[in-house]
Amino acid sequence: MLEVRDLSVFYGDAQALDRVSLSVGENEIVVIVGANGAGKTSLIRAIGGVLRPRGGSIRFADREIAGLDSHVVCNLGIGQVAEGRQIFPSMSVLENLEVGAMLPRAKAHAKAQLEKVFEMFPRLRERTGQLAGTLSGGEQQMLAIGRCLMGQPRLIMFDEPSLGLAPSVVQEVFAAIRSLHAEGMTVLLVEQNVAASLKLANRAYVLENGAVALEGRGADLLDDPRVREAYLGL
Ligand code: ATP
């Protein structure tokens, strides 16, 4: 579904990604792990059209999307749940969800989609009128996922969804990703939480200094001595 080839991204003269290649197949969960500054966020931003790559290609559903504006990329069906959740704190839960349905691709079925989001996250239904900024951290993450779903994506990219959340809430967020996947969603997940995210992954890539250092099945990487030593402290 998604094919990234030799992607290079710079901030001025500083190179953040160096010829990164990866693929995400239909209904896969692909995880990108790596330390702080490895380039994970830059990768998500380049795919999502927030950053313009200097080189390489990004194909989504057999169409070249590198360099397209982010609203065009979103409307092709790539949703993004950004780092730090990025909900609108002074708008209600319902208003936040409605913003997610403003994409042309999503307008026609917004009502039915809202019902699906509420089925998945019943707490959002209970809190439709509440200001989003007053939700707990975990609820805000659920709202960010719900808002993204309102755009009816075919692929969802998550940037560190576990960041800053209590361990029990992290479990909830990962359970939500697992159930989205069970319903057929394709997922690209960027995480610093290496152990938990590799357990979730069909396949994974380890990013180091802007380049792919290792790739393989999630379970195999969990057993890989290099991963165990560098990322799991074992
Ligand atoms: P983190 O987990 O801290 O978000 P990351 O793996 O997502 O890290 P990136 O944020 O993609 O990594 O950063 C990759 C490199 O690009 C780092 O060296 C970082 O310092 C640099 N970088 C990121 N954003 C900018 C920016 N706006 N301007 C200049 N350099 C940047």
Side-chain angles (χ1 to χ4, degrees), residues 57-110:
S57 105
I58 307 169
R59 294 188 73 78
F60 176 66
D62 292 324
R63 180 176 170 170
E64 180 60 45
I65 60 164
L68 294 182
D69 284 343
S70 59
H71 67 274
V72 178
V73 173
C74 276
N75 201 45
L76 288 171
I78 300 185
Q80 231 185 107
V81 179
E83 193 175 348
R85 304 186 271 282
Q86 313 280 347
I87 48 137
F88 301 110
S90 55
M91 286 165 63
S92 72
V93 165
L94 184 61
E95 286 165 344
N96 268 274
L97 293 172
E98 284 167 350
V99 168
M102 281 178 176
L103 284 176
R105 71 180 272 110
K107 278 187 179 151
H109 302 287

Side-chain angles (χ1 to χ4, degrees), residues 11 14-16 35-43 45 83 160 192:
Y11 296 98
Q15 188 160 15
N36 255 334
K40 304 180 299 299
T41 299
S42 302
L43 175 64
R45 288 197 181 139
E83 193 175 348
E160 306 221 16
Q192 275 189 60

Side-chain angles (χ1 to χ4, degrees), residues 6-10 15-21 207 209-212:
D6 295 326
L7 188 70
S8 291
V9 167
F10 287 75
Q15 188 160 15
L17 292 180
D18 183 11
R19 288 164 292 160
V20 168
S21 295
L207 214 53
N209 300 318
V212 174

Side-chain angles (χ1 to χ4, degrees), residues 121-204:
F121 303 117
R123 259 182 292 166
L124 295 182
R125 192 199 300 271
E126 289 161 20
R127 296 173 197 266
T128 44
Q130 191 171 325
L131 291 185
T134 66
L135 297 174
S136 71
E139 289 163 349
Q140 289 188 18
Q141 186 59 271
M142 302 303 171
L143 178 57
I145 297 172
R147 189 180 59 187
C148 178
L149 286 173
M150 289 301 292
Q152 296 174 32
R154 298 176 57 198
L155 163 74
I156 302 190
M157 302 193 292
F158 291 92
D159 192 357
E160 306 221 16
S162 73
L163 200 72
L165 297 178
S168 63
V169 183
V170 171
Q171 292 305 320
E172 253 182 85
V173 171
F174 279 27
I177 295 173
R178 209 176 277 123
S179 71
L180 277 174
H181 175 244
E183 284 174 24
M185 186 59 74
T186 305
V187 175
L188 179 60
L189 169 66
V190 157
E191 260 298 336
Q192 275 189 60
N193 189 337
V194 176
S197 59
L198 286 184
K199 279 184 196 143
L200 199 68
N202 297 127
R203 289 186 308 107

